[in-house]
Amino acid sequence: MRAVPSYDGAGGAVVRLEGRLDAEGALDLEDILAQFLREGVRTATIDMSRVSYMSTPALQVLARGGHEFATVKGTLKVTAAGEAIQHQLDAADLTRSLVLGAEAPKPTVPRQSAGGLNSLRGTSEWRVAGKLVLLHGLYESAARNPGASLTCRVLGDPGWLERGTIEPQRASAVQVGEEAFGLGIGAIGHQFTDAAPRMGEFIATAGVVAYQPTEGGGVPDYLIGTTEQPASAVLGSGLVCEGGFETLSRFTKRPAGQPVPLSELARVCLDHASSATVGVVMLVEVAGLVGARLRRAPTDAARPADFSMPEVRDWFSITPERVHEGTVAVVAGVVSRQPDPLLAPLLRPVGISSDLVGHFHAAVFEFRPVPLRTVALRPLMTKYFSQQPLRAVMHLLHDDRGAVGAGESAFQRGICWVSPIKSLEGGA
């Protein structure tokens, strides 16, 4: 993003924006607005006529900026927003307060979900179906939506690692609604040509998409979709699952015990769902994460990724030890004992257990206690993405180098939404 601030000589200021107003650009805009306030500016205008894209962090900066100017009896306004940007301002309820010459949009009645991932169940409806005590964790499960299942689409090019590049014709543009979750290599956007330079680790849950860009400063970006405007992304490789969650599982580490490893948690999710392959979304308090992220987008056929040593270090950043201790993470993925051939290329061994394979991505936030009795996924996702700074998006892996390796990710406590994958589809 390019930002050009200027002053009108009468105590006011204008900042003209150009390009993509993503999470990194939002930080720059926040600094400019703060500088205006420090300099005594009380009337500021943001010219958005050349903004081609805006994500949720930018909307949050605009909302905070409007409030901060109002507290000093000033005004912050937006002008010349294009149709797509205007729609986002309407959906965020910022039109009345920020847009010059705009009429406030008519209020809409929130859609009531009939079921699926986000059907709301109060805490009084939680019924413990059974308890398990394993090596590290204490577990409880409850039937959420008996008989529910997931349909998963395997998208893009699952075998890109072998060739070192993601081919444009294999990439898939997707909309991730409130009843879906997904993961893979991708970027927020609508077309491959726009998303390709930024493609990195990608996760989507309950209508919110986030990814770790491989260009610029690498600030993780995210977009909270709405019913009227679902979040869009381009997946070079990955999967998207839709349907309902059959089972809820919650866990905590044993008193005075070690944190719960991902492999143990994955096994419990499989056991609770009584299925060979399940889809899982978790909200967890982190004891430490082990994972990797792309440094560069593998989308240039003329320069494929090189995974030999030491060149691989230019393409991947791998944690040498557990990281992000004391944070909270949203984790989405699949785990299987007997994967379908269509799904198998995306899966890798989970922990030291050779009979489990899986694929998990995590969005990492600053700490906020996980409410273990709250089971509505969409409100929880929007709350964390709206109120907690997003630190990173990463692919979780098992470092199997023995004593010198970092091992696997581990958690203190959390809640899991689990459902069997009953149907698999390939392609867009």
Side-chain angles (χ1 to χ4, degrees), residues 376-426:
L377 185 57
R378 169 69 176 185
L380 282 173
M381 294 302 100
T382 55
K383 178 182 291 186
Y384 273 86
F385 276 93
S386 298
Q387 300 178 9
Q388 300 300 107
L390 178 62
R391 289 189 175 188
V393 178
M394 60 190 299
H395 168 80
L396 302 185
L397 54 79
H398 173 228
D399 186 347
D400 58 0
R401 295 175 298 159
V404 299
E408 61 179 300
S409 301
F411 313 109
Q412 302 285 2
R413 62 191 58 82
I415 186 167
C416 310
W417 293 258
V418 187
S419 204
I421 295 175
K422 293 292 183 65
S423 176
L424 277 169
E425 303 172 359

Side-chain angles (χ1 to χ4, degrees), residues 90-110:
D90 290 346
D93 198 25
L94 294 176
T95 297
R96 184 192 302 272
S97 60
L98 291 181
V99 180
L100 285 175
E103 295 182 359
K106 295 180 180 179
T108 58
V109 179

Side-chain angles (χ1 to χ4, degrees), residues 168 187 191-200 214-215 234 296-300:
Q191 298 178 345
F192 180 83
T193 53
D194 177 51
R198 292 179 293 279
M199 279 193 175
T214 48
E215 71 168 8
V234 178
R296 292 152 58 180
T299 52
D300 184 356

Side-chain angles (χ1 to χ4, degrees), residues 41-280:
V41 171
R42 294 298 178 261
T43 303
T45 302
I46 303 173
D47 182 343
M48 302 189 74
S49 59
R50 295 187 177 183
V51 174
S52 59
Y53 162 87
M54 180 169 62
S55 60
T56 299
L59 289 167
Q60 294 167 345
V61 166
L62 292 175
R64 287 196 297 270
H67 175 74
E68 289 168 356
F69 271 82
T71 59
V72 294
K73 300 188 183 301
T75 57
L76 176 67
K77 294 295 181 182
V78 169
T79 62
E83 182 178 355
I85 303 300
Q86 181 63 60
H87 188 88
Q88 289 181 275
L89 293 168
D90 290 346
D93 198 25
L94 294 176
T95 297
R96 184 192 302 272
S97 60
L98 291 181
V99 180
L100 285 175
E103 295 182 359
K106 295 180 180 179
T108 58
V109 179
R111 180 175 63 90
Q112 297 298 317
S113 174
L117 304 190
N118 301 304
S119 55
L120 184 63
R121 297 170 64 92
T123 55
S124 62
E125 298 184 27
W126 182 279
R127 296 292 184 269
V128 176
K131 295 186 178 182
L132 295 174
V133 181
L134 296 184
L135 180 62
H136 296 91
L138 300 170
Y139 299 90
E140 296 177 322
S141 68
R144 175 172 175 77
N145 189 4
S149 64
L150 297 169
T151 295
C152 290
R153 289 180 292 154
V154 178
L155 301 173
D157 184 3
W160 72 270
L161 279 168
E162 299 174 2
R163 293 182 302 279
T165 184
I166 292 174
E167 300 172 348
Q169 65 272 21
R170 300 288 298 274
S172 299
V174 296
Q175 285 189 330
V176 183
E178 296 179 15
E179 304 298 326
F181 72 91
L183 66 155
I185 302 299
I188 297 172
H190 299 277
Q191 298 178 345
F192 180 83
T193 53
D194 177 51
R198 292 179 293 279
M199 279 193 175
E201 315 305 325
F202 171 90
I203 185 173
T205 54
V208 185
V209 299
Y211 79 112
Q212 189 75 41
T214 48
E215 71 168 8
V219 179
D221 197 19
Y222 60 95
L223 184 63
I224 301 175
T226 63
T227 303
E228 297 77 17
Q229 191 176 20
S232 296
V234 178
L235 273 177
S237 175
L239 57 87
V240 173
C241 297
E242 296 180 283
F245 284 123
E246 182 183 51
T247 306
L248 288 168
S249 295
R250 59 187 181 187
F251 72 95
T252 184
K253 76 178 186 67
R254 298 178 67 180
Q258 296 297 310
V260 178
L262 177 60
S263 59
E264 181 175 304
L265 190 55
R267 186 178 301 279
V268 170
C269 289
L270 277 168
D271 291 342
H272 282 173
S274 299
S275 176
T277 304
V278 300
V280 184

